[in-house]
Amino acid sequence: MPEGTAIARLARQFAFGLLLACAPASASVYTFTNVLDSTQQQISTNTLCLAPSINSTGTLAFLAGSGSARGIYKGSGGALTLVADTTFGGQARLFDETSCHGPSINDAGDVAFYASVPSAALDGIYVGNGGAVATVADSSGAFAMFSAGSAMPYVMINESGDIPFVARFDLSGPEALYVGDTTGVSPLYDSGNSSWVTYENGPSINDAGNVAFFALTSNFSSDGLFVGNGGTPSQRFDRNSAWCSLSLETGINSLGSASYAGELGTNCVGDTLIYLASATGSAPLVSGPVVPFWFDPPSFNNNGGIAFNGGPLGGPNGIYTGGQNSSAVIRIGDPLFSSTVTSVQIGRQGLNDSGHVAFWYKLADGRSGYARANLIPDFDGDGLSDSLDNCPFKANPTQADIGGVGTASGPDGIGDSCQCGDVNNDGRVTGLDGTLVKRASLSLAPFAAGVGALPAPDKCDVNGGTTGDGVFHCSGLDGTLVQRASLMLPPGVQQFCPAADGS
């Protein structure tokens, strides 16, 4: 093979590999890891509560247990690590039992969470990693209470250890938005640089330190969704615009774009939409499926992926990934851990950069628990992982493999859907295929329309191009090569056709 052709092909394959690395697969399959279930420790059975968070290593953080075993834990499917129990710091603690906000974990394994001591009127935000628990901020110091509208704080930690939160200096004073870590706390937006008096349902933060939040003024003149990092914030959505309903939960992606849900119009007759609010405006992120009765923002990762709670109209609710062309991860009615799913929930920190999904589940046999859906890429969408698929770039759901090269050949490990040279789709590369290619290249009957009229033109090119440019072609030369290969003469058939490598 000419050197130029080889180099061009390598360059093309490298570029194609980059495309696969950067773009989400058209479909995916998952395996499931049971991290903890209610036969091991008590798990909440409230379908709206306590969705776990996940980091890039696949470790989940969650609240579990009862009595002396109640605590914040992390784990990935083996032994659990106790991050904090109900007596850390020597006081009887309660975790966020009412607002259903679970802990947050970053890639370092640091877990941020909210806890309170009702008997001492003490609450705060803390961080642990399996050893001593550190205080980010609590009401034993300058703060009087922590909140997010009417709820307890939603806690989210980024890779730098930064945690945004809403707090008051006194019980009757206005709320302010802060960002802190275990070394200190600074105001992000307070009475000195904003007119907001209330923040709803907890801010979200990305790794660049941008914070997305819903904020309200006392006279409702400047309510909406904002993104900022201490300077003048950017208003991404005006709550006073023509919306009939709106969720005040928000997530944020790596670019600082934030999500929200709502319905446009005056009659509220449509289905809830998820919108992505960027610096240039708002656009539907997912126009359905979306669960109408409970909305947590989509979980974003740093590779452009999203995962969310939803269900197609008339179909089962579940957890879905992707935007407008979303696909299911797990749905009500699906089999899971030798039972059947009756409820699932993902939170806004439930998707990691590898595409793995952390979720809470409840099963028909009464068990509930926390699990991880492990993404296995399935490029062609035929339900088989690429590593096990004999045609990874073209659907071959039955894995049919009649033969290889030659009329008497047996299965060769290459699926019929992508066997280069098999232009008549009979499962083998034979002299007849070579004749059909030659006739098609000359636009002879029954292929007067040329090579495109072949039953399988994407399997025609068996030498990866004929002009040294690495571009795929189908010509009479391919027919000759197929005929020679059927007689076991060199140079043979190469698996570089579009059906074989997705080009």
Side-chain angles (χ1 to χ4, degrees), residues 28 30 306-308 319-323 325-329 351 355 357:
S28 300
Y30 294 87
I306 64 170
F308 57 94
I319 297 170
Y320 290 78
T321 60
N325 298 315
S326 53
S327 59
V329 176
L351 177 70
V357 175

Side-chain angles (χ1 to χ4, degrees), residues 39 88 234-236 238 265 281 431 474:
T39 66
F88 76 86
S234 170
Q235 186 175 43
R236 301 297 171 84
D238 179 0
C474 181

Side-chain angles (χ1 to χ4, degrees), residues 89-137:
Q91 301 192 68
R93 309 274 181 168
L94 289 179
F95 300 106
D96 192 358
E97 315 287 340
T98 58
S99 297
C100 302
H101 291 160
S104 173
I105 187 169
N106 65 13
D107 289 351
D110 297 327
V111 178
F113 61 94
Y114 168 83
S116 64
V117 182
S119 62
L122 174 70
D123 65 345
I125 295 172
Y126 307 88
V127 173
N129 200 330
V133 174
T135 301
V136 175

